Amino acid sequence: MTLPLRPPVMPMEAEVAKELPEGAQWQYEPKWDGFRCLAFRDGDDVNLQSKAAKPLSRYFPELVAALAALRPRQFVLDGEIVVPIEGRLSFDDLLQRIHPAESRIRKLSRERPALLIAFDVLVDEHGRLVADEPLSRRRAKLEAFARRVLPKSGSVRLSPATLDVDQAREWIHDAGWNLDGVIAKNRKLPYQHERTAGMLKIKRHRSADCVVGGFRYATSGRLVGSLLLGLYDDEGKLNHVGFTSGIKVSERPALTRKLEQLRKPPGFTGSAPGGPSRWATERSTEWEPLAPRLVVEVQYDHFTGGRFRHGTRLLRWRPDKDPRQCKLSQVERESRAPLLIT
């Protein structure tokens, strides 16, 4: 058998937008917090491909098996690989799959199996190329595919979609940590193997008040380079959760003097910089502890594994905020939001 579309295939990618577009031509979908994946089925062969056109099959054997077990013998789906843990998506557990040891991958696939959430179809269940058809037709074909083929509560799920912009706004504001935002797609356009204005991503803006538990000097000179952020847990321990480095150059000398006057160990009384972490760098142990007196508000994208996944954006100082009010609960409370898939 031969698919009309074979890997490697570049996926359709979204441009960033600040606001949700409105109009009858737009379809809205959740932006899942996972790995983008194109899934190819051609007879007995199943291939999973990443957004960067790299093979993913060896890391997700349970998805390969699930796709191979479906009745149609030819199709290509576009979707997102996620790992659900107790009703939420765990990016940390997803990252653990990228491991050199097959035995480790097999173990994780049994203990914490992944899902493929499908949101587009490029080759239908009859082996026909549909990528050149408008999204409105492709979505109808995908929904029909899901009704006829996908087992209920199986490893391959259909991603929800809506034409209602108010529903999309609810997803952005209420859906919690399982979503990275919302994707808006032009229903009139075919699948485009590039970044396109016909597909827009609107990210959710999140902020948190954090204690400045320490700082690092810049790589050159003796001026502050980044602030180390902390949040208190239920036991009253201050845990290191990330950093922010967006400090104006003009403000660095005065801020450095202020921070140096507040130097006082231990800085963090719970988890501290330099501990075991996939984010650790050579400079992880080079930091100055501070008395927990300063509070900043930062903007961030994700909080996973007990810390901000990426660097945060410094929004403002909060001299009005009691450091003891800066608790982990403010970033953990939304993790109990529904997954939106069944």
Side-chain angles (χ1 to χ4, degrees):
M1 306 179 83
T2 303
L3 280 173
L5 198 62
R6 300 182 63 81
V9 171
M10 297 310 296
M12 187 171 176
E13 292 196 62
E15 293 188 354
V16 177
K18 293 183 178 179
E19 302 290 339
L20 283 167
E22 297 187 43
Q25 74 271 34
W26 292 103
Q27 170 182 298
Y28 310 100
E29 305 169 6
K31 186 179 186 302
W32 301 101
D33 186 22
F35 288 167
R36 183 74 175 275
C37 175
L38 290 174
F40 299 81
R41 168 81 186 275
D42 191 13
D44 294 331
D45 294 330
V46 173
N47 288 288
L48 305 180
Q49 179 206 291
S50 75
K51 181 168 66 173
K54 302 295 184 183
L56 288 173
S57 300
R58 75 176 298 269
Y59 304 116
F60 301 96
E62 74 276 34
L63 294 182
V64 172
L67 291 163
L70 297 180
R71 188 171 66 254
R73 294 182 59 77
Q74 281 194 313
F75 56 82
V76 178
L77 301 176
D78 190 0
E80 196 92 357
I81 297 176
V82 299
V83 174
I85 305 292
E86 297 179 351
R88 62 180 179 84
L89 301 184
S90 173
F91 197 81
D92 248 18
D93 285 279
L94 188 63
L95 285 175
Q96 289 180 30
R97 290 298 192 89
I98 310 303
H99 197 280
E102 183 179 355
S103 58
R104 174 67 174 169
I105 293 169
R106 294 282 178 182
K107 181 175 184 291
L108 292 174
S109 71
R110 292 190 298 269
E111 293 177 350
R112 297 185 172 180
L115 299 178
L116 175 64
I117 304 177
F119 47 67
D120 210 338
V121 56
L122 283 67
V123 175
D124 69 13
E125 61 191 282
H126 306 292
R128 293 191 296 253
L129 180 69
V130 297
D132 55 356
E133 297 184 14
L135 174 62
S136 57
R137 293 184 190 172
R138 299 199 314 274
R139 179 67 193 189
K141 292 178 185 293
L142 179 63
E143 291 177 356
F145 179 92
R147 286 194 303 270
R148 290 193 294 262
V149 173
L150 298 184
K152 189 174 182 179
S153 301
S155 296
V156 184
R157 311 279 182 93
L158 174 67
S159 181
T162 184
L163 306 182
D164 184 352
V165 69
D166 290 330
Q167 175 65 72
R169 291 192 181 103
E170 287 184 17
W171 285 343
I172 289 178
H173 293 102
D174 300 333
W177 297 90
N178 296 314
L179 300 187
D180 197 22
V182 166
I183 294 289
K185 297 178 180 177
N186 192 319
R187 302 174 68 235
K188 298 180 180 180
L189 296 182
Y191 194 95
Q192 298 170 287
H193 303 279
E194 59 184 355
R195 192 176 302 277
T196 170
M199 179 178 176
L200 303 174
K201 57 183 176 183
I202 301 89
K203 287 205 167 189
R204 183 178 181 188
H205 297 294
R206 307 175 172 108
S207 68
D209 295 325
C210 298
V211 178
V212 181
F215 73 96
R216 287 194 176 101
Y217 287 107
T219 52
S220 59
R222 294 291 289 179
L223 294 179
V224 59
S226 61
L227 306 176
L228 305 182
L229 308 175
L231 292 172
Y232 285 100
D233 59 24
D234 291 338
E235 298 178 356
K237 294 181 179 180
L238 184 62
N239 294 278
H240 176 235
V241 294
F243 71 94
T244 191
S245 56
I247 307 166
K248 293 181 181 179
V249 174
S250 59
E251 297 176 356
R252 290 181 186 243
L255 179 57
T256 301
R257 290 192 293 271
K258 181 177 182 178
L259 295 176
E260 288 177 339
Q261 292 173 2
L262 292 174
R263 278 188 290 201
K264 182 180 180 180
F268 297 94
T269 52
S271 60
S277 168
R278 68 176 73 253
W279 293 273
T281 67
E282 292 181 0
R283 298 185 66 237
S284 293
T285 58
E286 300 173 6
W287 63 282
E288 303 294 325
L290 296 178
R293 297 181 187 174
L294 303 177
V295 175
V296 290
E297 182 181 0
V298 297
Q299 182 178 304
Y300 63 99
D301 54 4
H302 290 286
F303 187 87
T304 181
R307 61 174 292 147
F308 300 121
R309 190 187 305 167
H310 306 116
T312 64
R313 178 187 170 202
L314 178 60
L315 296 178
R316 57 178 175 157
W317 292 88
R318 293 295 307 270
D320 58 317
K321 187 87 172 184
D322 183 341
R324 284 283 171 179
Q325 294 178 316
C326 300
K327 298 185 177 182
L328 278 167
S329 57
Q330 67 181 305
V331 291
E332 292 179 337
R333 60 176 176 263
E334 298 181 29
S335 65
R336 295 182 290 277
L339 267 177
L340 300 180
I341 50 174
T342 58

